[in-house]
Amino acid sequence: MPPLDALAASHWTATAKETFRTHHLTTDLAVDVAIIGGGILGTVTALHLAEAGVSVALVEAGRIGSGASGRNGGLVVPSLPRLSPDDAIARLGSHGKGLVGMIARGADSVFALVERHAIACDGVQAGWLNPSHGKSLVEGLKARCAAWAKAGAKVRFLEADEARERIGSPHFHGAIFD
């Protein structure tokens, strides 16, 4: 495991337009909610609770965003790897429906926070492609696209020609564009 400060010189740290100071927790603290972990989920949860008037402490052992959230390549990808929205709902019931809805609206939520708080992060919401590299996979990808559309995601299926043009490669047979 890398040292806690391993990402101090990461691309994200080096190119950040905004900085902030954190403080070491040196005494007991009484709050309504303590959140362990300063990744995307922890920081957004702390923000929403604080905006709702809840006293909250965000506790991170390293740097805010130093874990997977800070190493994700900057992509905001609305997806459930290897699981369709219908499968998630079938397996998790109402919790699955909530999860799928949250994922379908996830990118909009992230970019709304960036706009509302005027975060200088060079964020661009230009869409995401999930291409098919095999002709035999196209029907499954179309079904996945339909399931995400039914769940409320703004998706459409790109036929081979449009997918190849957008991707810049002749090796794809279609794609979901979200």
Side-chain angles (χ1 to χ4, degrees):
M1 180 159 189
L4 292 177
D5 212 16
L7 293 177
S10 73
H11 173 73
W12 302 113
T13 303
T15 61
K17 292 180 174 47
E18 297 181 34
T19 60
F20 58 93
R21 292 185 48 85
T22 59
H23 305 282
H24 291 280
L25 184 59
T26 57
T27 61
D28 290 345
L29 190 61
V31 294
D32 295 325
V33 177
I35 296 173
I36 311 296
I40 291 171
L41 183 59
T43 55
V44 170
T45 301
L47 173 64
H48 286 303
L49 287 169
E51 289 176 338
V54 176
S55 66
V56 61
L58 176 63
V59 181
E60 168 60 53
R63 292 176 178 262
I64 300 294
S66 65
S69 293
R71 297 189 308 260
N72 74 355
L75 301 177
V76 181
V77 179
S79 180
L80 282 168
R82 296 180 179 80
L83 192 64
S84 76
D86 293 336
D87 290 338
I89 293 167
R91 290 180 186 188
L92 302 171
S94 63
H95 296 296
K97 190 171 186 172
L99 174 66
V100 167
M102 179 186 71
I103 291 170
R105 296 180 306 277
D108 290 339
S109 296
V110 168
F111 285 95
L113 280 174
V114 168
E115 184 176 331
R116 183 162 44 105
H117 293 281
I119 299 170
C121 66
D122 297 331
V124 176
Q125 190 173 11
W128 173 71
L129 287 169
N130 179 187
S132 172
H133 63 279
K135 195 171 189 173
S136 64
L137 303 173
V138 169
E139 291 308 313
L141 202 59
K142 284 182 177 180
R144 188 181 196 95
C145 185
W148 277 110
K150 185 173 94 180
K154 296 177 266 180
V155 296
R156 69 182 180 94
F157 188 79
L158 306 181
E159 296 296 339
D161 289 343
E162 187 176 1
R164 290 171 180 158
E165 182 180 325
R166 282 182 178 253
I167 296 168
S169 170
H171 303 289
F172 294 95
H173 302 275
I176 296 175
F177 177 64
D178 186 323

